[in-house]
Amino acid sequence: MAVGTQYLAEQPKLRTSSMVLGAIAIAALLAAPFFFYPVMLMSVLCFALFACAFNLLIGYVGLLSFGHAAFFGGAAYFTAHAAKVWGWEPLSAILLGVAGAAAMGLVIGFVAIRRQGIYFAMITLALSQMFAFICLQVPFTHGEDGIQGVPRGYLLGILDLNQPLAMYYVTLAIFLFGFFAIWRIVHSPFGNILKAIRENEKRAVSLGYRVDRYKLGAFVMSAALAGLAGGTKAIVFQFATLTDVQWQMSGEVILMTLLGGIGTLIGPIVGAGLVIALQNYLAASDFPVLVLIGIIFVICVLLFRRGIVGEILEFTRRKSKSAA
Amino acid sequence: MSSAPLLEVRGLNAWYGESHVLHGVDLDIHEGETVTLLGRNGAGKTTTLRSIMGILRRREGVIRLRGEDLLRLPLHKVAQAGIGYVPEERGIFASLNVSENLMLPPTVSEGGMSVEEIYTLFPNLYERRSSQGTKLSGGEQQMLAIARVLRTGAKIILLDEPTEGLAPVIVQRIGDVLVALKKRGMTILLVEQNFRFAKKVADRFYLMEDGRMVNSFPGHELDARMDELHEVLGV
Amino acid sequence: MSTIFGVPAPALYGQILIGLINGSFYAMLSLGLAVIFGLLRVINFAHGAQYMLGAFAAYLILNYAGIGYWPALILAPLIVGAIAVVIERFMLSRLYGIDPLYGLLLTFGLALILEGAFRYWFGAAGQPYAAPSQLTGAVNLGFMFMPIYRGWVVIASLVVCLGTWLLIEKTQLGAYLRAATENATLVQAFGVNVPLLLTLTYGLGAALAAFAGVLAAPIYQVSPLMGSNLIIIVFAVVVVGGMGSILGAIVTGYMLGVLEGLTKVFYPEASSIVIFVIMAIVLLVRPAGLFGQEE
């Protein structure tokens, strides 16, 4: 059983009900800031998008990147620098972050897709660590301090993002844009070829597909979307630091996806919400976060590899199968 | 022969994943006997050997060696119960030289051939003892695969198509080796497509079709049954 | 004072020595990773944590039981090896036969637990661990002064690497291991207790990492973070060497250590990334690694 092969996209007959559920979810997200602390919600949205971007690669191409922090944190640096030092408008600063992450994705992906499976994971980890070392040394990232005090600014020169609600709805819009972009990619002919590659790479090659190009394409898209999440996070939290480029961050996004359900559309969102909530909760106690994250990893791998959403889907699938 | 069989298989069913490949196979081999399984490709001959060895894990039924139930044993205990296995693909290890390949299977009981005896029986192997195992010719690899299980003291050996793809002169040589082993009292379960080769060594034949035993007859009836066999085997 | 390519000779020799020492650790750790991966098909992410655990075991038995360096060189690998055996029996063995990425994720989780726990108990700062009195001081080699302990590390690691290589290439146990790496089912069908072999191999790999940890304790201090910083570099070393060959892992380890040392002399800014750059170049030129075979 390969990672992520358990789940293809949800069946088409569920489409009506999933549209209703989607509408309810969007309504809930629109109302959420009136019930929850907006900063925490925005944090969840940024990480949820990051996890969805990561899941695009593992869930639909079967490639485990252990270096996605480079794109997330790298974009955060680019966006923060553009907004603070060059005084760019926030959306264009975020787009610069996306472009930077995509360019990095092209370079790292070009090297990493030369090996598969376990090697791919090690190579992406090593290359992202190299990027983290570079970030520590080059002047524009300000080393251990990071880029602090990034102005949120005015969106398109009009909307004041220092208003918490305005910032929240912009973040939500960016998240929804990213999420639907992923949904489109997964359900496009391109996405179908990716799934074919994941199921049986040799067959895809023999059918004449330039498998490496498709993999690289998916890698760049995943990197760009991770960059969208990272750039947005830099504007929301007004800083970019080394934390976001280090391997622990790559580990966190893997955990979010694994916990929620690899290869499910909404699993990474559930996983991100849970992990962020847990971290916030633990921040008040003195229990070491790293230990807890490690324990969740071990439990997920040993007991429910499908993740929460994956297990629920499997359960309902079995139930409907036995009922039929 | 009225004594209890050395190896006794009763109602053996086996599955590759979801597909049911053996359907109630019965098989008896007495001490010192050489028994040959005949059948088309895909009839379940190799699967029968793999099921007896325990390489194929999903099985039901009875497999007994001298009364000991093999079905419940973990894979490595089956060989230790006294079975030697010569797989179809020969299973010579590339990262081991000839002598290491020969010494690989652990001794399972007293009475195996000594290394000197083996090298006397297979002088080629002695000459090439320091070569990488997979650098040997196909025939030499087959000799090595057989030699390897003779050392262990196994009471019965399972041989899967030892002559496949080999030149007639090598087939002849392997036939001589099997005759010599018979003389030493070795019990052999052979899977073979080559009638002429099998006739030389087999005391009894079993005929398999679609995962079932369809017939069994003594070795001397082979010639008389040729027409029937040609029909079943499609050769 | 003599210079080589404009660099003072003693500085050059000093960095080569440091490179050799780092290379010793790369070699020992990548060797263990390669042996474990060969047989278990698991990339042991916890390898760095097991190295750290080895150093801490030495530190703890010194401070709580007064047991010194020399016994620790034996005891720490035994302790860590025993823990690894339990991990293999109860966790890793459940993952055989499924996608190897799960083994990576499991051992990653274990690494986080170990690192987090030790950080919680001891803080992120390093604890000092003194070299044994027999190995303090320095010796004049004629062209440079070499601290005796550093020379010992290089020699000890060479002996351990060579010993492991001999164990694998020249003994019956090693023959089982090599054969099982090729075809574990057939080896087990011959009567070798392969599940036990897997357990022992994981224990041995972890014990090697712990031995390296004890050797490292007097040089780098004992810190909860010492393993995670190292393991990623070792991954790169393993990718460069290719995991097919034991000797390849050892040679690549020393070679990259020395190259890193030389980079510190000639272009210090790049010294922390040179191994990763080499990895990228090797992947572009020879994707299977220097000593690997295309699978």
Side-chain angles (χ1 to χ4, degrees):
Chain A
M1 180 176 64
V3 171
T5 49
Q6 306 93 331
Y7 275 93
L8 298 176
E10 286 82 327
Q11 302 93 322
K13 67 171 182 180
L14 290 176
R15 205 158 270 172
T16 337
S17 59
S18 49
M19 271 169 74
V20 173
L21 282 175
I24 295 172
I26 291 173
L29 284 169
L30 286 171
F34 300 99
F35 302 95
F36 297 96
Y37 188 42
V39 174
M40 155 125 173
L41 288 174
M42 288 189 281
S43 170
V44 170
L45 287 175
C46 289
F47 279 100
L49 180 56
F50 182 24
C52 287
F54 169 79
N55 185 44
L56 175 62
L57 207 52
I58 178 126
Y60 299 97
V61 202
L63 291 173
L64 172 65
S65 162
F66 227 112
H68 253 47
F71 312 122
F72 182 74
Y77 274 127
F78 303 143
T79 299
H81 186 78
K84 186 183 177 189
V85 181
W86 297 337
W88 283 23
E89 177 275 331
L91 190 62
S92 40
I94 291 173
L95 288 177
L96 178 79
V98 172
M104 285 170 58
L106 193 63
V107 175
I108 292 183
F110 185 72
V111 174
I113 54 163
R114 288 169 173 265
R115 300 302 302 269
Q116 292 165 12
I118 211 96
Y119 285 94
F120 182 86
M122 290 199 292
I123 292 162
T124 46
L125 174 62
L127 291 174
S128 77
Q129 180 77 351
M130 176 169 94
F131 181 70
F133 276 127
I134 293 173
C135 287
L136 185 62
Q137 285 180 359
V138 295
F140 96 93
T141 58
H142 299 276
E144 303 278 357
D145 299 332
I147 304 175
Q148 301 285 344
V150 176
R152 280 185 177 175
Y154 289 78
L155 186 78
L156 303 171
I158 312 162
L159 184 62
D160 183 3
L161 294 184
N162 290 302
Q163 302 287 330
L165 272 185
M167 187 72 247
Y168 173 78
Y169 286 117
V170 168
T171 309
L172 179 60
I174 290 173
F175 166 78
L176 289 175
F177 167 81
F179 181 77
F180 284 110
I182 290 168
W183 189 85
R184 279 303 309 153
I185 293 169
V186 168
H187 291 88
S188 69
F190 176 79
N192 288 330
I193 295 168
L194 292 182
K195 278 175 262 179
I197 292 172
R198 181 193 62 187
E199 297 304 326
N200 189 339
E201 183 163 340
K202 283 199 182 107
R203 196 174 59 201
V205 172
S206 68
L207 286 173
Y209 290 113
R210 304 276 303 260
V211 166
D212 277 0
R213 287 196 184 174
Y214 282 95
K215 282 186 182 173
L216 185 58
F219 194 85
V220 171
M221 286 180 203
S222 173
L225 286 159
L228 181 62
T232 308
K233 179 178 173 272
I235 295 292
V236 169
F237 292 93
Q238 301 184 277
F239 61 80
T241 62
L242 284 172
T243 313
D244 293 341
V245 292
Q246 274 159 348
W247 60 266
Q248 288 91 343
M249 183 59 76
S250 298
E252 259 175 52
V253 77
I254 295 172
L255 180 68
M256 290 168 181
T257 312
L258 180 67
L259 179 62
I262 290 172
T264 63
L265 219 44
I266 61 165
I269 303 170
V270 174
L274 280 173
V275 171
I276 299 287
L278 214 59
Q279 282 173 341
N280 275 8
Y281 178 75
L282 280 187
S285 78
D286 72 338
F287 189 86
V289 178
L290 222 48
V291 174
L292 186 83
I293 290 185
I295 290 172
I296 301 175
F297 254 110
V298 170
I299 292 174
C300 280
V301 171
L302 289 179
L303 298 180
F304 58 111
R305 287 189 274 279
R306 290 188 179 93
I308 294 170
V309 173
E311 292 291 348
I312 292 172
L313 284 175
E314 175 71 9
F315 180 74
T316 51
R317 194 179 63 104
R318 271 203 202 139
K319 233 179 160 184
S320 65
K321 210 177 176 184
S322 63
Chain B
M1 291 187 213
S2 56
S3 62
L6 179 66
L7 179 71
E8 181 187 4
V9 176
R10 288 283 171 278
L12 180 63
N13 286 276
W15 291 261
Y16 274 119
E18 293 295 306
S19 68
H20 192 173
V21 286
L22 291 187
H23 306 266
V25 167
D26 293 329
L27 178 76
D28 282 334
I29 304 175
H30 292 83
E31 188 128 22
E33 237 189 340
T34 296
V35 168
T36 298
L37 292 184
L38 297 172
R40 285 176 201 255
N41 282 334
K45 307 181 301 286
T46 295
T47 305
T48 304
L49 298 196
R50 291 168 61 88
S51 301
I52 293 170
M53 286 312 294
I55 292 171
L56 195 62
R57 297 306 296 177
R58 215 182 139 205
R59 300 156 299 163
E60 278 169 16
V62 173
I63 305 171
R64 282 200 208 99
L65 184 72
R66 278 200 223 96
E68 187 184 3
D69 184 2
L70 297 185
L71 203 72
R72 278 164 222 302
L73 294 182
L75 179 53
H76 55 274
K77 297 270 174 153
V78 175
Q80 288 168 13
I83 307 190
Y85 179 50
V86 181
E88 189 177 9
E89 69 284 359
R90 294 172 194 142
I92 302 303
F93 295 99
S95 53
L96 275 59
N97 66 24
V98 169
S99 143
E100 286 172 328
N101 264 293
L102 183 62
M103 302 307 286
L104 185 78
T107 307
V108 294
S109 72
E110 300 287 297
M113 288 169 102
S114 69
V115 177
E116 290 76 34
E117 282 177 282
I118 286 173
Y119 279 140
T120 316
L121 196 58
F122 303 100
N124 294 23
L125 297 184
Y126 179 74
E127 275 167 37
R128 307 210 54 186
R129 64 192 181 280
S130 320
S131 313
Q132 187 187 344
T134 44
K135 290 272 161 67
L136 298 183
S137 70
E140 287 171 325
Q141 290 194 28
Q142 189 63 59
M143 305 280 184
L144 178 55
I146 297 171
R148 189 161 61 176
V149 295
L150 301 181
R151 223 198 76 252
T152 63
K155 292 292 167 267
I156 172 169
I157 58 175
L158 312 189
L159 276 172
D160 200 346
E161 304 220 22
T163 65
E164 196 187 14
L166 299 180
V169 55
I170 312 275
V171 172
Q172 176 76 38
R173 181 84 187 80
I174 291 175
D176 295 343
V177 167
L178 292 195
V179 169
L181 290 179
K182 268 173 74 101
K183 285 216 182 90
R184 291 176 64 106
M186 179 66 89
T187 311
I188 300 170
L189 175 55
L190 180 69
V191 164
E192 190 52 73
Q193 308 261 22
N194 182 340
F195 284 179
R196 224 180 321 152
F197 174 82
K199 195 179 130 188
K200 192 162 130 188
V201 289
D203 301 309
R204 222 145 43 80
F205 287 94
Y206 279 96
L207 189 59
M208 285 193 85
E209 208 176 351
D210 297 330
R212 292 177 177 83
M213 287 295 178
V214 291
N215 205 347
S216 121
F217 51 87
H220 59 81
E221 290 181 20
L222 186 73
D223 288 330
R225 290 174 180 263
M226 267 308 172
D227 292 342
E228 175 195 346
L229 288 175
H230 279 300
E231 191 168 319
V232 172
L233 300 177
V235 286
Chain C
M1 194 161 59
S2 64
T3 62
I4 298 168
F5 298 125
V7 175
L12 184 67
Y13 296 140
Q15 287 302 340
I16 291 177
L17 178 63
I18 290 177
L20 262 182
I21 292 185
N22 287 337
S24 303
F25 292 111
Y26 300 160
M28 281 186 284
L29 292 177
S30 56
L31 171 64
L33 269 185
V35 172
I36 291 172
F37 180 75
L39 193 56
L40 282 72
R41 296 279 129 186
V42 166
I43 286 292
N44 183 29
F45 212 122
H47 217 63
Q50 285 154 349
Y51 161 84
M52 179 270 289
L53 215 51
F56 263 101
Y59 170 81
L60 291 174
I61 59 176
L62 176 69
N63 286 291
Y64 291 95
I67 297 171
Y69 179 84
W70 297 109
L73 268 183
I74 307 293
L75 282 175
L78 284 179
I79 295 167
V80 176
I83 295 171
V85 161
V86 173
I87 289 172
E88 196 279 341
R89 264 321 45 208
F90 292 99
M91 297 185 186
L92 274 179
S93 57
R94 292 162 186 264
L95 302 179
Y96 297 149
I98 66 172
D99 194 314
L101 289 174
Y102 288 115
L104 179 77
L105 294 178
L106 177 82
T107 50
F108 178 66
L110 292 171
L112 291 182
I113 294 172
L114 288 171
E115 200 179 295
F118 276 84
R119 218 151 114 177
Y120 181 67
W121 289 324
F122 296 96
Q127 316 284 331
Y129 186 93
S133 55
Q134 300 91 328
L135 299 177
T136 49
V139 60
N140 188 349
L141 297 178
F143 54 92
M144 68 177 291
F145 279 93
M146 185 181 68
I148 292 175
Y149 188 80
R150 302 196 166 215
W152 153 250
V153 167
V154 175
I155 292 167
S157 78
L158 275 173
V159 168
V160 163
C161 287
L162 194 71
T164 310
W165 181 77
L166 284 173
L167 174 74
I168 292 168
E169 292 297 327
K170 301 291 167 203
T171 68
Q172 183 68 24
L173 186 68
Y176 289 154
L177 203 140
R178 276 176 287 144
T181 298
E182 278 184 55
N183 185 345
T185 307
L186 185 58
V187 172
Q188 198 177 355
F190 284 148
V192 177
N193 189 341
V194 170
L196 181 66
L197 190 66
L198 294 173
T199 309
L200 289 179
T201 302
Y202 190 70
L204 175 78
L208 260 175
F211 181 85
V214 182
L215 278 184
I219 297 184
Y220 300 125
Q221 297 202 319
V222 179
S223 128
L225 304 177
M226 64 194 285
S228 65
N229 293 332
L230 189 56
I231 190 69
I232 301 177
I233 298 177
V234 172
F235 279 175
V237 171
V238 157
V239 172
V240 171
M243 276 190 288
S245 142
I246 299 297
L247 216 50
I250 299 171
V251 171
T252 311
Y254 287 107
M255 197 175 70
L256 290 182
V258 171
L259 268 174
E260 191 185 35
L262 289 175
T263 315
K264 273 196 193 112
V265 181
F266 293 104
Y267 190 55
E269 294 79 8
S271 63
S272 57
I273 63 167
V274 62
I275 289 182
F276 302 121
V277 174
I278 292 172
M279 179 192 81
I281 295 169
V282 167
L283 280 170
L284 293 176
V285 178
R286 198 181 144 80
L290 295 180
F291 298 89
Q293 291 125 11
E294 202 66 64
E295 62 251 43

